[in-house]
C-alpha cells in the first residue's frame, strides 16, 4: 500500500499530452478555464471621456465666472464643434470630451442663465474627465490563459468584443456503480438484502459541482462480463471512468481485475488512507479510470481526493479544494496509522476556523450522513497522533 502523499504525487505527475480546447459563445464560457491570453487591442477609453453630466470648458476660463454654451454633445454623437475661449459645450456621461476642453464642470455646480452658465463652485483642472486608457491600455494582458472564467472575465471580454473565447473542454466522466445489492433511484425492492445506491448519484453531483461533465451509467450487478463491457464502452466514450465497489478482496470484487484485463496501466492500487484504502487508479492511453471503494463515505471522500484533482488537471485548472489551518474545539482520536479524512463541522469565529464533531458518528465508512451540514474534512497524516482541544489541525474545505 502506498503512502497517501505518494498517491497524490502520482496524480500530480500525470502528464497530459493533448488538452481538449473549444470556442464557446462568451456567456456559455462561464466556469470554463480560458485557453488563451486576453490582451487589450485598444485603449479604454480610446479618447478623453466625460464621467458626469455637465459642461466641458477650458479650465483657465474658471476666473471668468460665466461661460457661453455654444452647443450640446450627447453620448454617442459625433461632435464637430470645439470649445472656444470663454465658451463651453454641454456634455454628458459617456460623451467624448470636445476638442479644446480640458475639464468638465458638473450640472450641479452651475446655474443656467439664458444661453450662459454661471459657475457656482469651481473644480480642479481635468475634473470628471476619464483619461485615455483609464480602464485598460492597448496591449495590456488583461486575463491570463488558465484563468477560470467568472463574471468579471465575461464583462471584460465583452468590452473587447470577444464573442467566442477559446477554453479548455471539461472532461467527460462516466459513472458506474457495481454491486448486486444495489437499487437505482425509484426501483422497487424485491428482497431485504437490497440497498439503495447513493454512490453513483453523489458522484454525478461531485462531477457536476467540480466542473466535469457527468455521464450517469447507473448500477451493474457483480457479474464480470457485464462489468467488463460496461467499463470498456464507458472508456471509449469518456475521458474518465469512475466506478464504485468491487475493488476490495471479496469473491465478487471484479472491478479491480477487469481494469487490468482491459489492458489499463495501473497507476496505483491500495493507499494507506482512511477511508478508501482499496482505491485503484489506472490509465489507458489518454483515458483514466478510477475504481473507488463501495462504502458511501469512502467513495465520496476518495472521489474528492483523487477524482476532483484529475478533473481539474484535464482542463489545466487548479484543484478547487483548499486546505486551511483550524483549531479544535473537541479532542480528536486518531484511530488508524494511515492518512485519515474525518468529516467534521467547521465555523469561522473571529477569522479563525474552528472544528467540532457535534452529531458526527463513529463507525463504518458507510455513514454518509456525516457529510451533511457545514462540513469539511479534518486531515491527519499517518504519523499523527490524537489531538487535544485547542490544537491546530488541517482542514480540507470542499467549496
Ligand atoms: P464493496 O466495495 O463492493 O465491497 O462494497 C462495500 C459496501 O459498500 C457494501 O456494504 C455495499 O453494500 C456498499 N455499497 C456498494 N456500492 C454502493 C452504492 N452504490 N451505494 C451505496 N452503498 C454501496
Ligand atoms: Mg460490492
Amino acid at each position: 500500500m502506498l503512502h497517501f502523499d505518494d498517491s497524490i504525487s502520482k496524480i500530480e505527475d500525470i502528464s497530459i499530452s493533448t488538452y481538449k480546447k473549444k470556442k464557446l459563445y462568451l456567456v456559455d464560457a462561464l466556469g470554463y478555464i480560458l485557453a488563451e491570453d486576453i490582451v487589450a487591442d485598444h485603449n479604454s477609453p480610446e479618447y478623453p471621456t466625460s464621467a458626469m453630466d455637465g459642461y466641458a470648458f477650458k479650465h483657465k476660463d474658471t476666473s471668468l465666472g460665466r461661460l457661453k454654451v455654444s452647443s450640446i454633445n450627447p453620448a454617442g454623437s459625433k461632435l464637430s464643434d470645439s470649445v472656444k475661449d470663454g465658451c463651453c459645450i454641454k456634455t454628458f456621461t459617456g460623451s467624448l470630451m470636445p476638442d479644446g476642453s480640458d475639464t468638465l464642470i458638473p450640472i450641479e455646480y452651475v446655474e443656467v442663465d439664458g444661453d450662459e452658465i454661471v459657475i457656482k463652485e469651481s473644480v480642479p483642472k481635468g475634473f470628471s474627465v476619464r483619461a485615455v486608457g483609464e480602464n485598460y491600455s492597448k496591449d495590456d494582458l488583461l486575463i491570463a490563459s488558465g484563468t477560470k472564467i467568472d463574471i468579471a472575465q465575461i464583462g471584460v471580454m465583452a468590452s473587447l468584443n470577444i464573442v467566442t473565447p477559446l477554453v479548455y473542454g471539461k472532461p467527460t466522466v462516466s459513472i458506474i456503480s457495481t454491486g448486486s445489492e444495489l437499487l437505482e433511484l425509484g426501483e422497487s425492492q424485491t428482497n431485504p438484502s437490497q440497498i439503495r445506491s447513493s454512490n453513483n448519484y453523489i458522484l454525478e453531483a461531485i462531477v457536476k459541482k467540480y466542473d466535469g461533465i457527468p455521464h450517469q451509467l447507473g448500477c451493474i450487478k457483480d457479474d464480470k462480463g457485464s462489468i467488463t463491457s460496461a467499463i470498456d464502452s464507458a472508456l471509449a466514450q469518456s475521458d474518465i471512468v469512475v466506478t464504485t465497489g468491487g475493488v476490495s478482496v471479496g469473491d465478487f470484487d471484479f472491478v479491480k481485475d477487469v481494469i487490468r484485463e482491459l489492458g489499463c496501466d495501473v497507476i496505483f492500487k491500495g493507499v494507506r488512507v482512511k477511508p478508501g484504502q482499496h482505491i485503484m487508479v489506472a490509465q489507458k492511453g489518454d483515458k483514466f479510470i478510477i475504481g473507488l471503494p463501495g462504502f458511501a463515505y469512502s467513495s465520496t471522500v476518495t472521489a474528492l481526493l483523487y477524482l476532483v484533482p484529475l478533473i481539474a488537471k484535464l482542463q489545466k485548472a487548479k484543484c478547487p479544494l483548499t486546505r486551511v489551518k483550524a483549531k479544535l474545539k473537541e479532542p480528536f482520536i486518531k484511530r488508524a496509522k494511515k492518512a485519515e479524512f474525518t468529516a467534521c463541522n467547521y465555523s469561522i469565529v473571529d477569522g479563525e476556523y474552528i472544528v467540532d464533531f457535534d452529531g458526527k458518528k463513529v463507525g463504518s465508512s458507510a455513514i454518509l450522513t456525516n457529510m451533511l451540514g457545514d462540513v469539511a474534512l479534518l486531515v491527519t497524516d499517518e504519523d499523527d497522533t490524537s489531538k487535544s482541544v485547542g490544537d491546530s489541525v488541517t482542514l480540507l474545505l470542499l467549496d
Side-chain angles (χ1 to χ4, degrees), residues 181 222 246 253:
E181 73 278 36
D222 291 314
D253 288 335

Side-chain angles (χ1 to χ4, degrees), residues 133-381:
E134 178 206 45
N135 191 11
Y136 50 75
S137 300
K138 187 172 188 297
D139 299 330
D140 279 354
L141 170 61
L142 297 179
I143 313 169
S145 176
T147 303
K148 186 167 183 178
I149 299 171
D150 205 335
I151 54 174
Q153 285 75 18
I154 298 283
V156 169
M157 286 193 280
S159 70
L160 292 163
N161 193 29
I162 294 172
V163 185
T164 54
L166 186 69
V167 299
Y168 290 104
K170 295 184 179 186
T172 51
V173 183
S174 288
I175 300 156
I176 301 169
S177 276
T178 68
S180 298
E181 73 278 36
L182 301 177
L183 293 170
E184 304 263 16
L185 279 180
E187 194 180 345
S188 304
Q189 189 167 24
T190 53
N191 81 62
S193 70
Q194 292 169 324
I195 60 155
R196 193 69 57 190
S197 174
S198 56
N199 290 350
N200 52 314
Y201 302 106
I202 196 169
L203 282 170
E204 185 175 346
I206 287 173
V207 171
K208 220 169 164 174
K209 174 168 176 172
Y210 296 105
D211 292 327
I213 298 170
H215 285 174
Q216 178 60 260
L217 299 179
C219 300
I220 312 179
K221 304 250 176 294
D222 291 314
D223 167 74
K224 203 170 170 187
S226 319
I227 294 173
T228 305
S229 57
I231 295 180
D232 198 22
S233 71
L235 268 174
Q237 49 166 291
S238 42
D239 301 302
I240 303 173
V241 178
V242 59
T243 63
T244 73
V247 287
S248 185
V249 293
D251 292 1
F252 301 94
D253 288 335
F254 298 124
V255 174
K256 57 181 192 308
D257 307 320
V258 166
I259 292 174
R260 288 197 166 90
E261 287 163 20
L262 283 172
C264 303
D265 301 318
V266 177
I267 299 174
F268 57 83
K269 164 82 176 85
V271 177
R272 295 199 297 277
V273 63
K274 184 179 162 66
Q277 64 171 344
H278 292 295
I279 174 146
M280 180 170 194
V281 178
Q283 182 167 9
K284 190 174 186 192
D286 56 359
K287 311 286 179 101
F288 295 91
I289 169 153
I290 304 189
L292 302 175
F295 272 135
Y297 180 70
S298 307
S299 61
T300 301
V301 170
T302 46
L304 294 168
L305 297 177
Y306 298 102
L307 174 61
V308 170
L310 190 59
I311 290 173
K313 196 179 180 74
L314 286 174
Q315 55 194 308
K316 269 208 177 169
K318 286 201 247 348
C319 179
L321 307 180
T322 51
R323 289 177 179 222
V324 294
K325 284 287 167 206
K327 198 156 97 181
L328 278 183
K329 202 172 150 188
E330 278 177 48
F332 168 75
I333 315 285
K334 180 79 180 163
R335 292 196 159 76
K337 203 174 159 36
K338 295 175 187 168
E340 273 186 275
F341 292 84
T342 310
C344 59
N345 309 302
Y346 79 96
S347 54
I348 302 172
V349 180
D350 296 333
E352 190 174 33
Y353 286 91
I354 304 290
V355 170
D356 69 59
F357 303 96
D358 281 354
K360 301 298 181 209
K361 297 175 182 165
V362 175
S364 78
S365 296
I367 309 174
L368 186 59
T369 49
N370 276 348
M371 292 296 287
L372 295 173
D374 288 330
V375 77
L377 297 175
L378 186 144
V379 184
T380 51
D381 196 66

Side-chain angles (χ1 to χ4, degrees), residues 17-29:
S17 48
T18 44
Y19 289 92
K20 286 196 294 191
K21 291 179 189 175
K22 59 182 176 182
K23 283 185 165 280
L24 284 181
Y25 159 64
L26 178 60
V27 183
D28 288 341

Side-chain angles (χ1 to χ4, degrees), residues 57-196:
F57 73 116
K58 296 179 193 289
H59 187 260
K60 69 167 180 57
D61 288 347
T62 305
S63 55
L64 301 175
R66 184 177 267 276
L67 302 167
K68 184 170 173 0
V69 183
S70 62
S71 53
I72 183 160
N73 172 29
S77 66
K78 219 169 151 191
L79 185 74
S80 50
D81 202 7
S82 63
V83 173
K84 311 280 179 329
D85 285 350
C87 295
C88 63
I89 293 179
K90 193 166 190 186
T91 294
F92 303 87
T93 311
S95 302
L96 303 187
M97 291 295 287
D99 284 348
S101 67
D102 55 25
T103 304
L104 186 110
I105 185 156
I107 278 175
E108 295 85 347
Y109 292 14
V110 304
E111 224 173 66
V112 179
D113 179 16
D115 62 354
E116 292 186 341
I117 55 165
V118 179
I119 297 173
K120 291 280 159 202
E121 209 174 311
S122 60
V123 291
K125 188 173 180 182
F127 190 78
S128 233
V129 179
R130 295 180 51 222
V132 171
E134 178 206 45
N135 191 11
Y136 50 75
S137 300
K138 187 172 188 297
D139 299 330
D140 279 354
L141 170 61
L142 297 179
I143 313 169
S145 176
T147 303
K148 186 167 183 178
I149 299 171
D150 205 335
I151 54 174
Q153 285 75 18
I154 298 283
V156 169
M157 286 193 280
S159 70
L160 292 163
N161 193 29
I162 294 172
V163 185
T164 54
L166 186 69
V167 299
Y168 290 104
K170 295 184 179 186
T172 51
V173 183
S174 288
I175 300 156
I176 301 169
S177 276
T178 68
S180 298
E181 73 278 36
L182 301 177
L183 293 170
E184 304 263 16
L185 279 180
E187 194 180 345
S188 304
Q189 189 167 24
T190 53
N191 81 62
S193 70
Q194 292 169 324
I195 60 155
R196 193 69 57 190

